[in-house]
Amino acid sequence: FNAAVAGCFFAIETVLRPLKAENAPPFTTAMIILASVISSTVSNVLLGERPAFTVPAYELKSAAELPLYLILGMLCGAVSVVFGRLVVWFSRFFAYMKERFDFPIVVYPALGGLGAGLIALKYPGILYWGFTNVEEILHTGKSASAPGIWLLTQLAAAKVVATALCKGSGLVGGLYAPSLMIGAAVGATFGGSAAYLINAAIPGSAAVAQPQAYALVGMAATLASVCSVPLTSVLLLFELTKDYRILLPLMGAVGLAIWVPSVVNQPNDGESSGFRAPMRGYSLVSLQDRNSSVWTRSDSVDDLELTISQSGLRNYGTYQEEVLLDDLKV
């Protein structure tokens, strides 16, 4: 993306953040910065300074537009929640198929690819051909090949379903590029619709910027919400546009896009998050259960012990260690 600062923060947010401070290797941040500088220099020399896609000039008509960007942020957060739920649903569906039919493991990614291919017959724009589709969306209304608002809505929905299907089936792939494409489509749809409604309510009004301005912010908001990289998203768009005016709408939209899934996916008391395994692999054992086969005597009578629930694992299959540990409360 020709965005060296965003590259640094991407590595820090995705790799270093989960580490405890004492476990992080020394000088790691310095090495990340150095690696980003060297790679950006090499790519600029060999490939030129052109970014991954041509970014249109950003415009902000007035501060009165800011509430629209906040609504867009919440919309992108909602899209992220729907995407996450679809991934879980497809994962469970393929797990059920494996338990029921016990096909060879290579069959399930193939079925995911088949499903994505069938969707692409109707909407070829969901396939990854570099960032051609993103570039077309970013120039909505300015080029003959750019899709209209209704087609953008369908593209966004088809891309969400196809990406979740591929992810749930076990196909190896990232979320970075799909998030940018989905966000651009959602932002352009929202911007175009908002302009139409406001102009219909107040004829002759030009208070809303072009759809591509909202497409830019929608890209960052969706990327932040799906991949949990808010700082990376803000810096990436700021480096691509090099326009200081985008910062306030961008930060507001990204902040709300991160907030929505954190509220929606918050587990109820005694429940694990819906994005984890269908059933937790542990249970609380009280002193009254000391005679059961899973009880291990402890020195303190007030202690509660956590034990792996073997029956739960048998019912739902063996889950990755990290999934169990993420939900394990001590």
Side-chain angles (χ1 to χ4, degrees):
F1 295 98
N2 197 18
V5 179
C8 290
F9 276 84
F10 180 65
I12 289 169
E13 282 192 304
T14 54
V15 181
L16 285 192
R17 186 177 60 181
L19 290 176
K20 293 181 180 178
E22 62 269 20
N23 293 337
F27 308 118
T28 303
T29 304
M31 292 299 102
I32 290 172
I33 294 172
L34 185 60
S36 183
V37 169
I38 294 172
S39 63
S40 295
T41 303
V42 171
S43 64
N44 285 344
V45 170
L46 298 179
L47 302 175
E49 295 188 3
R50 185 183 182 279
F53 41 81
T54 305
V55 177
Y58 177 76
E59 60 176 341
L60 180 66
K61 293 290 187 181
S62 69
E65 266 193 293
L66 284 176
L68 291 176
Y69 284 103
L70 299 181
I71 296 171
L72 173 60
M74 290 190 285
L75 178 61
C76 292
V79 170
S80 167
V81 170
V82 171
F83 172 73
R85 298 283 168 88
L86 280 174
V87 171
V88 171
W89 190 88
F90 280 121
S91 298
R92 290 176 176 174
F93 172 74
F94 283 104
Y96 168 78
M97 284 189 64
K98 180 168 176 54
E99 183 181 342
R100 181 74 183 270
F101 302 106
D102 198 24
F103 292 133
I105 196 168
V106 296
V107 169
Y108 307 104
L111 290 175
L114 176 64
L118 291 174
I119 295 172
L121 290 176
K122 174 72 173 173
Y123 302 105
I126 68 164
L127 298 176
Y128 181 71
W129 303 104
F131 286 100
T132 306
N133 48 9
V134 175
E135 200 155 349
E136 288 181 357
I137 294 171
L138 288 178
H139 293 82
T140 299
K142 290 193 173 182
S143 77
S145 63
I149 288 177
W150 175 234
L151 178 57
L152 281 175
T153 306
Q154 297 176 62
L155 273 176
K159 183 70 170 175
V160 167
V161 173
T163 307
L165 173 62
C166 292
K167 209 70 178 163
S169 69
L171 276 171
V172 177
L175 294 176
Y176 209 99
S179 299
L180 292 176
M181 189 267 174
I182 293 167
V186 169
T189 300
F190 176 83
S193 303
Y196 175 79
L197 292 174
I198 291 175
N199 290 333
I202 311 172
S205 171
V208 180
Q210 292 295 317
Q212 55 264 27
Y214 290 87
L216 282 170
V217 175
M219 285 167 57
T222 306
L223 175 64
S225 190
V226 172
C227 301
S228 298
V229 286
L231 292 177
T232 301
S233 303
V234 170
L235 288 168
L236 176 63
L237 261 293
F238 182 54
E239 283 193 90
L240 287 175
T241 59
K242 296 179 174 62
D243 192 332
Y244 189 79
R245 294 175 301 168
I246 200 173
L247 272 183
L248 286 181
L250 187 57
M251 291 171 69
V254 166
L256 283 173
I258 286 284
W259 174 76
V260 168
S262 69
V263 170
V264 173
N265 298 329
Q266 206 168 30
N268 298 326
D269 292 340
E271 289 184 8
S272 60
S273 168
F275 288 92
R276 302 298 182 192
M279 179 180 179
R280 287 176 305 196
Y282 70 91
S283 60
L284 283 172
V285 182
S286 64
L287 192 61
Q288 285 74 21
D289 299 321
R290 63 183 179 273
N291 293 327
S292 69
S293 59
V294 293
W295 172 256
T296 304
R297 187 173 181 82
S298 123
D299 292 332
S300 171
V301 293
D302 294 326
D303 282 351
L304 292 178
E305 291 200 2
L306 298 169
T307 173
I308 299 297
S309 173
Q310 297 296 339
S311 61
L313 290 177
R314 278 198 299 272
N315 290 338
Y316 290 96
T318 303
Y319 293 101
Q320 290 183 353
E321 201 174 67
E322 291 83 355
V323 175
L324 290 176
L325 291 177
D326 278 348
D327 281 338
L328 188 66
K329 292 176 175 60
V330 180

